Amino acid sequence: MNVKKTQLARLIAALAGVGTLATGGAVLAQEPAAEELAAEEEEAIEEVVVLGRFRAAATDIVSERLASDVPVDMLDAALISRVGDSNVASALRRVPGVTLVQDQFVYVRGLGERYSSTQLNGAVIPSPDLTRNVLPLNIFPAEIIDALSVSKGYSPDLPAAFGGGNINIRTRAIPEDAQFSFTVNTGWNSEHSENGFSYAGGGDDSIGTDDGTRELPTAITNGIQQYRGNFSPNNIQSLARQAGSPISIAQAQSDNRALATSLNRNLDLRPKDNPADLEAEVTGGYKWYLNDDWDVGFLAIADYSNKWRNRQRFFRSVTEPEQTFAEAIRTINQVTLTGGLNAGVNFLDDHKFNALGMFIRNTEDEATFSQACTLGQFNDCGTTSTRERLEDIRFEQRDLEIFQLSGEHVLGEDTFDRLPFLGFLRGFTGTKGSWFYTDSTAETNLPNETRVRFVEDIDPTTGETLASRVRSVNNAAEFRFGDLIDEVENWGGEISVPFTGAGYDLELSAGGSYTRKGRSYEQTVLGLGPTVNNVNFDNEIADGAISDVFSDDNLNNPLYGYELFIGIGQFGTESYAAGQITDAGFGKFDLMLNDTWRFSGGARWENFKQVSVPIDYLAFSEPRIPLSADEIEQSVIATDEWYPAFSATYIKPEFWAPEFQFRVSWSETATRPDLREISTSVYIDPLTEARVIGNPNLRPAELSNFDIRGEWFWDSDNFTISAFYKDIKDPIETIQGGATEDNIVFNFINADSAELYGVEIEGLKGLGFLSNYGWTDAFYVAGNVTLSDSEVVIPATAGGNLTNRTRELTQQSPWVANLQLGYDSIDGRHGATLVYNAFGERIFFAGINGVDDAYEQPFHSVDFVYSFFPTDQWTIKLRFQNILDQTTRIDQRDPNGNEVRVLEQTVGTSFLLDIKWGF
């Protein structure tokens, strides 16, 4: 089935113009002269004892920030380790102007995840997220990271899909000498308790994969073909009659129930006392120097993590909070597996060849127990005697496989000495070239996501549950099976040629890239329950456990009226296929005048094509793609545009600091609709459980970006202040459309315009000046603050009865703060960091029908990390996270102005212990 879907995705991609080829580009990295490098290395060795581990690491990334021709913020592995973040998403919230949404997506400068692009070592990679085309960054463990680079300013060698910023995840490089380390981690969260839930899963759950227990049964897949996508007894009888083998309706009903018995119905939730966290990591690498010219090396990493968390979640209706509400307890078991091998060959210091293979698995196994009161369905639980109970199971396995080849080359003197036949190129000494090829696949599997509906009899005075029974409805038990495949092929190259004259240095570069992406998603939804309110069902078996209510004996007993439905509960076609092709080329200049003025800029050309179509896998008498060829052609998004950029930098050493730079930059970029967002297929957002419907008429948004930045760098301290402004034409916004009490619907529109502006302040300062006795030399403070504002204007013709058509951008925070107080002992044996991160209230979703917008409330995260280095080989680290025990909270005002907490979810306080040995 996967092969067929992959081929289908490629077919859809062909509709968008597969086959157009171009050369590709990579990010230019400027290197300081060898004498400067040697001086910096010697200075770093002298300073490490004085500065401490963290501040020495901070100075290591300063040179790269200075060398960049556009504003860029960076985190390296040492800084990430210092604050105790476990994945890329958590680490990026330490960057100025970056906020974390749903623990996996980052918003840069208040713009949603669609406005930020993510690359791995400069290459595009696919997303395993079911509901978004963007990459969930929590799947990347911190252990694989060498550095994180966030480009706030646009440069032509970056993808034109640039809004808030470009995030480049750089993986760990091959070591210069032998390296080995082993780390074990354990921990506990305050939400650990016996109040959690679990169920009978599969034998391979501990490694994050299903052993077949949950998979869609062969009997169901064969039945879809045999009964042409319709399991109703009437259809089964009709098809039998057409085939010349007539059967009775009773036999057809029996055949239907036989299909139901193939489903896994061992779904009983049972109390779970969560175990402690467990994580283990092994890394090892070596480099062999074969002779004076050649060396070869590798770095291997393996990481395993198994964590359990309880989350309590509370929902309330904004209009009837006392009558319509729900409380849920979610137990989540997250298993992460990471394996990577980076191998490289170097010829001289001029030519580097690298191959990277990486596998990442991130699986979440979730069991949820919830109780709900709904006005109009179960009435007010405080005055009547019934309420609804839901028991949900969701097992989501996300796998990402990456293969990369890359090379960097310089025409240096060593090259000409060893390869004299290249002597005719001496006039181009210093010319650099780079290339890359990436082939990656993301796959997400949701086997047997289930929901079972109960009715509970309660004491209206105390709320105590007196009795419970499975609801007598045709979808009393609901089963969903989903499979996503996202494939990306990305390759490109770049060449740069230097020119030097009296008082100037000029570098001209050009390159290009080609990206092909195919994505397909198939979902099957089944409902099982009595066809009508069945007295026998209610009186005899409904009050049993799930596995008993839906046992083989009960299913096969015609007295209980069971029937299996396929496609039940769907609002439309939930499966789809999509394709995307991007051909790109760029030209760029970088001019330095008298070591004082630097001008850089250029333009990028991108030919972009994208199409997404719904697919109905249950259609047999009609086309499975419910669109005509003309409709498919009309739904293709195609652009052929140039995206210019220009920046100017004024360099003045000893202007308040040894190093000072003042930057100004401008660029024109675009943000395109997600593959999901242009399809008319329907999907369910896992956080809000809302139905989300795409809009094939969406247009790409166009952005004008303006940045100003001043940077001061001392030996170990630094200070930066930035101002930014973005003018957006046709911004893409999520709005709430039609809805019922049971089903909220979101869709997408192009607003008229939006603007975003703000200021970022960042700094690092040692506290030695506070004392004449030296005891404060070991302390430092660091942090950043972002202040911003925005406005989006939504036209009156847009769908939905929005309350506010002029408002802030969704998820834009008026302020974001990151603060650190650190300690590094003079002897280098101890380190401690107190970390604070918070954001101002931000719109979570827009309100309709007179109800105000829903705002996510500030989350004040306080963490503490202590590190002890008893020897050069051993490291012991203690981490305390969310010390203030903050919760996720969303508030909304009703039409009368009353504030209602519509959602609240616990996070808990975590205690973690790491022990590492290595050399």
Side-chain angles (χ1 to χ4, degrees):
M1 182 179 295
N2 290 348
V3 173
K4 292 181 180 178
K5 289 193 293 182
T6 302
Q7 293 172 343
L8 179 58
R10 288 174 175 167
L11 175 62
I12 298 301
L15 295 173
V18 176
T20 306
L21 301 178
T23 57
V27 177
L28 170 66
Q30 296 193 355
E31 298 179 357
E35 296 83 1
E36 295 172 343
L37 283 174
E40 290 173 1
E41 290 173 355
E42 181 177 355
E43 183 179 0
I45 292 173
E46 294 173 352
E47 290 178 343
V48 68
V49 174
V50 178
L51 295 179
R53 297 172 185 264
F54 173 80
R55 292 168 63 196
T59 60
D60 290 341
I61 63 177
V62 167
S63 60
E64 189 163 351
R65 285 182 57 178
L66 288 170
S68 174
D69 58 343
V70 294
V72 61
D73 291 316
M74 299 191 65
L75 295 173
D76 70 356
L79 306 187
I80 295 170
S81 174
R82 178 63 190 242
V83 296
D85 293 321
S86 60
N87 58 63
V88 169
S90 297
L92 282 170
R93 64 194 171 117
R94 314 296 180 186
V95 174
V98 175
T99 55
L100 183 61
V101 178
Q102 297 182 28
D103 294 326
Q104 53 187 331
F105 302 106
V106 294
Y107 281 45
V108 181
R109 289 178 165 175
L111 291 173
E113 72 268 11
R114 70 162 57 86
Y115 290 94
S116 301
S117 57
T118 302
Q119 297 175 295
L120 184 72
N121 298 322
V124 178
I125 55 176
S127 169
D129 191 85
L130 292 171
T131 60
R132 292 170 176 84
N133 193 33
V134 295
L135 196 63
L137 296 177
N138 64 327
I139 70 171
F140 292 99
E143 289 76 19
I144 71 169
I145 300 170
D146 178 62
L148 298 173
S149 172
V150 182
S151 296
K152 301 287 188 64
Y154 176 69
S155 177
D157 50 11
L158 296 175
F162 181 99
N166 173 271
I167 300 165
N168 188 25
I169 304 169
R170 296 185 342 209
T171 55
R172 293 171 62 175
I174 297 170
E176 292 298 318
D177 204 345
Q179 180 185 96
F180 177 82
S181 67
F182 177 73
T183 306
V184 293
N185 167 286
T186 188
W188 175 86
N189 182 272
S190 61
E191 293 295 308
H192 276 65
S193 72
E194 67 277 2
N195 295 326
F197 291 95
S198 184
Y199 65 99
D204 294 333
D205 289 2
S206 60
I207 58 174
T209 189
D210 181 53
D211 63 358
T213 299
R214 305 174 179 88
E215 69 180 11
L216 185 65
T218 302
I220 299 294
T221 56
N222 291 340
I224 291 174
Q225 301 299 318
Q226 180 180 354
Y227 302 123
R228 302 178 63 81
N230 186 345
F231 289 169
S232 71
N234 288 335
N235 182 65
I236 293 174
Q237 184 185 39
S238 175
L239 291 176
R241 184 169 55 250
Q242 294 174 23
S245 303
I247 59 175
S248 66
I249 190 64
Q251 181 60 48
Q253 292 170 338
S254 177
D255 292 346
N256 172 282
R257 294 192 294 268
L259 290 172
T261 61
S262 66
L263 292 168
N264 174 37
R265 289 146 289 132
N266 190 9
L267 308 175
D268 301 324
L269 296 187
R270 55 175 182 254
K272 172 71 176 180
D273 189 4
N274 296 332
D277 295 345
L278 173 65
E279 183 174 0
E281 176 205 339
V282 179
T283 62
Y286 193 75
K287 180 178 284 189
W288 292 269
Y289 295 90
L290 305 180
N291 52 43
D292 291 340
D293 296 341
W294 292 90
D295 61 72
V296 59
F298 78 95
L299 176 70
I301 181 171
D303 181 86
Y304 172 81
S305 172
N306 193 327
K307 299 178 181 179
W308 291 81
R309 291 291 184 271
N310 284 343
R311 297 285 185 264
Q312 286 187 284
R313 181 186 288 183
F314 305 90
F315 296 93
R316 296 175 184 87
S317 166
V318 66
T319 55
E320 300 288 348
E322 301 300 325
Q323 289 79 34
T324 301
F325 57 89
E327 179 179 354
I329 299 177
R330 304 164 60 216
T331 301
I332 305 166
N333 178 210
Q334 184 181 72
V335 175
T336 302
L337 284 172
T338 304
L341 177 63
N342 188 4
V345 177
N346 297 332
F347 175 58
L348 308 173
D349 290 328
D350 294 346
H351 305 277
K352 301 178 181 180
F353 303 86
N354 272 85
L356 171 68
M358 184 174 294
F359 173 79
I360 297 175
R361 169 174 293 161
N362 183 278
T363 298
E364 290 190 350
D365 189 5
E366 180 177 331
T368 304
F369 178 95
S370 59
Q371 295 169 314
C373 299
T374 305
L375 185 66
Q377 182 177 8
F378 291 93
N379 299 314
D380 182 354
C381 294
T383 59
T384 63
S385 57
T386 60
R387 68 182 168 204
E388 183 177 38
R389 186 176 92 233
L390 302 175
E391 296 189 9
D392 296 273
I393 292 172
R394 178 185 174 90
F395 184 95
E396 181 176 352
Q397 176 185 336
R398 303 184 292 184
D399 291 349
L400 178 61
E401 298 178 5
I402 302 168
F403 174 70
Q404 288 187 334
L405 294 174
S406 62
E408 298 178 4
H409 310 277
V410 180
L411 288 178
E413 291 298 332
D414 289 342
T415 296
F416 292 125
D417 290 343
R418 294 295 191 275
L419 305 175
F421 64 87
L422 294 178
F424 69 96
L425 294 176
R426 278 191 178 273
F428 297 95
T429 298
T431 296
K432 300 176 183 178
S434 61
W435 56 271
F436 68 91
Y437 172 83
T438 302
D439 187 9
S440 48
T441 301
E443 184 168 2
T444 299
N445 185 28
L446 274 84
N448 204 11
E449 179 184 359
T450 65
R451 164 169 286 183
V452 180
R453 296 170 169 84
F454 295 80
V455 176
E456 291 186 332
D457 297 328
I458 62 174
D459 185 321
T461 302
T462 65
E464 180 184 357
T465 302
L466 303 177
S468 67
R469 59 192 178 279
V470 175
R471 289 184 62 186
S472 183
V473 292
N474 59 10
N475 64 340
E478 189 173 295
F479 304 80
R480 290 178 179 267
F481 303 85
D483 194 14
L484 169 78
I485 295 179
D486 197 345
E487 296 180 310
V488 172
E489 181 183 22
N490 179 216
W491 53 266
E494 177 183 355
I495 188 169
S496 59
V497 183
F499 301 89
T500 302
Y504 77 89
D505 291 286
L506 173 65
E507 186 173 72
L508 299 178
S509 57
S513 63
Y514 168 79
T515 305
R516 176 191 59 81
K517 182 170 187 173
R519 172 178 262 228
S520 64
Y521 177 63
E522 180 179 346
Q523 180 169 277
T524 302
V525 183
L526 301 168
L528 177 61
T531 54
V532 294
N533 289 333
N534 187 289
V535 175
N536 294 321
F537 176 87
D538 286 339
N539 294 338
E540 297 184 22
I541 64 170
D543 60 350
I546 296 175
S547 56
D548 294 330
V549 173
F550 296 98
S551 66
D552 286 356
D553 289 342
N554 287 337
L555 288 181
N556 289 321
N557 191 331
L559 291 176
Y560 301 135
Y562 281 105
E563 185 174 326
L564 180 67
F565 301 82
I566 188 167
I568 192 168
Q570 293 188 191
F571 275 50
T573 302
E574 297 182 341
S575 303
Y576 71 98
Q580 186 183 96
I581 298 293
T582 306
D583 296 302
F586 72 88
K588 180 181 174 182
F589 71 90
D590 191 350
L591 173 65
M592 177 74 78
L593 296 177
N594 298 317
D595 293 328
T596 302
W597 287 96
R598 181 180 182 182
F599 302 96
S600 63
R604 183 180 185 89
W605 164 81
E606 285 195 356
N607 184 291
F608 174 82
K609 300 182 182 72
Q610 175 175 283
V611 65
S612 180
V613 298
I615 298 177
D616 187 355
Y617 288 101
L618 302 182
F620 284 82
S621 58
E622 299 176 353
R624 291 195 168 183
I625 297 179
L627 300 175
S628 66
D630 289 341
E631 289 174 319
I632 293 176
E633 185 176 352
Q634 292 173 4
S635 68
V636 173
I637 293 177
T639 60
D640 192 324
E641 301 288 345
W642 285 89
Y643 301 93
F646 176 79
S647 66
T649 304
Y650 174 65
I651 304 169
K652 185 175 177 57
E654 304 305 329
F655 179 71
W656 188 31
E659 297 287 348
F660 167 74
Q661 292 191 149
F662 179 75
R663 305 173 184 267
V664 179
S665 63
W666 160 85
S667 63
E668 300 280 347
T669 57
T671 295
R672 288 125 182 179
D674 191 293
L675 289 171
R676 262 292 201 181
E677 294 171 348
I678 63 171
S679 174
T680 56
S681 60
V682 181
Y683 63 95
I684 297 177
D685 183 88
L687 180 67
T688 62
E689 297 187 358
R691 262 65 175 181
V692 184
I693 304 174
N695 178 4
N697 298 315
L698 284 178
R699 302 179 302 277
E702 301 175 7
L703 294 91
S704 297
N705 311 287
F706 303 88
D707 288 89
I708 300 175
R709 171 176 285 202
E711 300 172 302
W712 292 264
F713 296 96
W714 292 265
D715 290 340
S716 59
D717 302 335
N718 62 73
F719 177 76
T720 301
I721 183 169
S722 308
F724 58 90
Y725 174 80
K726 295 181 182 292
D727 183 49
I728 310 173
K729 178 184 177 183
D730 297 329
I732 301 170
E733 281 285 297
T734 304
I735 65 170
Q736 187 174 339
T740 66
E741 287 292 345
D742 293 327
N743 298 290
I744 299 174
V745 178
F746 289 111
N747 46 43
F748 308 97
I749 62 164
N750 283 109
D752 281 338
S753 62
E755 61 178 1
L756 171 70
Y757 50 90
V759 176
E760 296 172 345
I761 302 172
E762 177 186 10
L764 169 67
K765 177 63 179 175
L767 299 181
F769 68 94
L770 294 177
S771 171
N772 294 326
Y773 301 100
W775 67 271
T776 60
D777 291 347
F779 292 88
Y780 70 90
V781 291
N784 55 76
V785 176
T786 301
L787 306 175
S788 63
D789 197 4
S790 67
E791 181 179 270
V792 60
V793 180
I794 300 173
T797 55
N801 187 19
L802 293 175
T803 302
N804 301 313
R805 293 189 174 272
T806 300
R807 54 171 175 79
E808 300 96 338
L809 287 163
T810 303
Q811 294 288 354
Q812 183 263 321
S813 297
W815 59 268
V816 179
N818 291 285
L819 303 174
Q820 298 177 30
L821 172 63
Y823 168 79
D824 284 309
S825 65
I826 300 300
D827 62 6
R829 296 300 184 189
H830 305 271
T833 311
L834 184 66
V835 185
Y836 171 76
N837 171 265
F839 58 84
E841 68 172 14
R842 56 196 184 190
I843 294 178
F844 192 78
F845 61 83
I848 62 172
N849 298 324
V851 176
D852 199 7
D853 304 324
Y855 283 86
E856 183 176 2
Q857 299 304 299
F859 188 104
H860 298 274
S861 172
V862 176
D863 304 336
F864 178 76
V865 182
Y866 167 73
S867 299
F868 175 47
F869 308 93
T871 70
D872 291 340
Q873 288 76 38
W874 287 94
T875 302
I876 300 173
K877 183 181 297 183
L878 299 176
R879 293 181 283 164
F880 300 86
Q881 298 176 338
N882 192 24
I883 295 173
L884 300 181
D885 197 21
Q886 292 279 284
T887 61
T888 300
R889 297 158 294 141
I890 299 175
D891 292 349
Q892 193 173 18
R893 293 186 182 276
D894 66 16
N896 297 321
N898 300 311
E899 188 169 285
V900 178
R901 181 142 295 165
V902 295
L903 185 147
E904 183 170 7
Q905 179 170 283
T906 61
V907 176
T909 300
S910 295
F911 164 76
L912 303 168
L913 169 66
D914 302 336
I915 300 176
K916 178 180 178 180
W917 181 87
F919 58 84

